[in-house]
Amino acid sequence: MTALFQPLRLRSLELQHRGWVSPMCQYSCDPDDAPGVPNDWHLMHLGSFAAGGAALILTEAAAVNAEGRISPRDAGLYNGAQAEAWERITSFVHRHGAARAKIGVQLAHAGRKASTYWPFSGKHGSVPASDGGWTTVGPSPLAFEGYAAPAEMSAEQITGVVRDFADAAVRAVDAGFDTIEIHGAHGYLLHQFQSPLINTRTDSWGGDEAGRNRLMLAVVDAVRAVIPESMPLLLRISASDWAEGGVDLAASVRLARQAAGRGVDLIDVSSGGAVAHQQIKAGPGYQTGFSAAIRKEAGVATGTVGLLTSAGQAEHAVATGQADGVLIARAALRDPHWWLRAAFELGHDLAWPPQYERAVPRRTF
């Protein structure tokens, strides 16, 4: 058996292999008639990965309140209509997954990067109120370059966001999700509080590293407290801000160690997104080193992501101990059956959906 196609157990969750789907925003909710409600597009998008052999599918960022959406077309999990729509999708994935697929929701708040135009809108920057936008919030009144400045959050607003994450987690459990990922990366609210490039507060929600990490860990505590003990909890972080004076790998190792001690079972390791002047040195597998270091030094399972496109790359990352799982995104958009193809290329027999069995390639060696 190849390393990539070995099973993995996280608490009571049994994953058939280590090849997973990374969260990918689709900007496809109806902002007028059903804001934040996933629809047929989301069912098709996520369902295709289940049929394609993914073992774990993570949804796009689902906002924990309306002002936490990245754009007016983003998904949410802050009301019953959204939860009901997500339940339809979780049921489909469980029923039709080729690798007995499991599905997790990524809970998020975009903070100062909320209320923006979606990528294929033809417009850029912050959405004004006249076009369906809203006033954003953040740890400090510092704007992301090209966006409107946020309002600095009060202590009451901060504790309210913690409750919103917990409430969304309860809805996620009721909607049939198998796991939950907290989005603490890519310059969104929890990462904004963590990064010294953004958080200039002098109260207990800022200042030193402990203060800047306080919101991230408070959300971890709040979500862990309301989900079943048997359900694993994932946390996505940006291991580096790729900018001088920002979050670095050493700080991320310390954060990951604390999160693991509070009940996080896997760190989904990404990077960047905090500031526009970041200098990312991108290339194939450019983030696997972050994952390997956090896995080793923090003693916690990790997932790696970023320009991993081939079966050989994914196999190497797991086989060499750089990560416990590999999450792919754009490669999955190009080929929703990526995992079936990867299994064939690596010589592993992964079951195909019976409707597709006539297309199973035959080995000639």
Side-chain angles (χ1 to χ4, degrees):
M1 181 180 291
T2 70
L4 183 63
F5 286 96
Q6 288 183 8
L8 178 68
R9 181 184 178 93
L10 296 172
R11 297 197 182 226
S12 68
L13 182 62
E14 297 279 357
L15 300 176
Q16 295 304 298
H17 59 75
R18 315 298 184 94
W20 309 332
V21 179
S22 187
M24 292 177 277
C25 289
Q26 295 297 290
Y27 309 101
S28 295
C29 296
D30 185 332
D32 299 317
D33 296 333
V37 177
N39 51 43
D40 286 350
W41 177 266
H42 301 86
L43 178 69
M44 179 280 298
H45 168 69
L46 298 169
S48 67
F49 302 140
L56 174 63
I57 300 163
L58 294 177
T59 74
E60 65 190 87
V64 299
N65 60 38
E67 71 180 7
R69 291 171 295 158
I70 301 170
S71 82
R73 294 174 62 95
D74 274 58
L77 193 45
Y78 50 86
N79 63 40
Q82 294 161 355
E84 184 177 348
W86 281 120
E87 185 175 13
R88 174 177 174 241
I89 293 169
T90 63
S91 297
F92 183 93
V93 167
H94 291 148
R95 194 163 61 248
H96 297 294
R100 286 181 276 173
K102 307 300 181 183
I103 183 169
V105 63
Q106 186 188 65
L107 299 181
H109 191 298
R112 71 175 189 167
K113 295 176 79 174
S115 188
T116 60
Y117 284 105
W118 50 102
F120 45 89
S121 67
K123 302 178 182 180
H124 302 282
S126 297
V127 179
S130 60
D131 205 9
W134 55 91
T135 300
T136 60
V137 297
S140 306
L142 303 176
F144 185 85
E145 185 177 340
Y147 295 173
E152 181 171 300
M153 296 177 72
S154 67
E156 290 75 20
Q157 286 176 305
I158 295 170
T159 56
V161 163
V162 175
R163 287 194 300 272
D164 289 340
F165 270 93
D167 290 346
V170 171
R171 294 187 189 96
V173 173
D174 292 342
F177 283 103
D178 301 294
T179 186
I180 290 170
E181 177 172 277
I182 297 168
H183 198 352
H186 299 167
Y188 297 123
L189 186 67
L190 304 189
H191 184 196
Q192 289 165 27
F193 270 82
Q194 180 198 9
S195 176
L197 299 175
I198 305 169
N199 185 348
T200 61
R201 301 176 73 99
T202 57
D203 63 4
S204 61
W205 298 101
D208 61 9
E209 184 174 290
R212 288 183 280 104
N213 287 346
R214 184 183 174 193
L215 179 57
M216 185 101 65
L217 296 174
V219 168
V220 167
D221 288 343
V223 171
R224 184 76 265 175
V226 297
I227 65 176
E229 179 66 24
S230 60
M231 176 181 281
L233 179 60
L234 284 55
L235 174 65
R236 171 165 273 196
I237 66 170
S238 280
S240 171
D241 282 346
W242 296 98
E244 185 177 354
V247 171
D248 60 15
L249 179 57
S252 293
V253 168
R254 292 189 291 271
L255 173 64
R257 189 179 294 122
Q258 293 179 71
R262 293 167 180 257
V264 166
D265 301 286
L266 182 139
I267 304 292
D268 180 358
V269 184
S270 189
S271 68
V275 291
H277 65 271
Q278 64 187 6
Q279 296 293 316
I280 296 179
K281 299 175 182 178
Y286 71 103
Q287 296 179 143
T288 58
F290 295 142
S291 172
I294 289 171
R295 186 175 187 264
K296 178 181 179 180
E297 297 177 33
V300 61
T302 63
T304 189
V305 64
L307 297 183
L308 296 166
T309 60
S310 72
Q313 284 178 301
E315 171 70 13
H316 179 76
V318 177
T320 56
Q322 296 177 79
D324 296 272
V326 174
L327 298 103
I328 66 169
R330 295 177 192 180
L333 296 181
R334 289 188 287 268
D335 179 7
H337 301 147
W338 187 93
W339 305 270
L340 295 175
R341 178 171 55 80
F344 177 78
E345 291 177 3
L346 295 173
H348 177 75
D349 291 324
L350 183 63
W352 283 52
Q355 299 92 331
Y356 289 176
E357 282 183 350
R358 75 190 76 174
V360 176
R362 303 303 173 189
R363 302 190 189 283
T364 58
F365 50 87

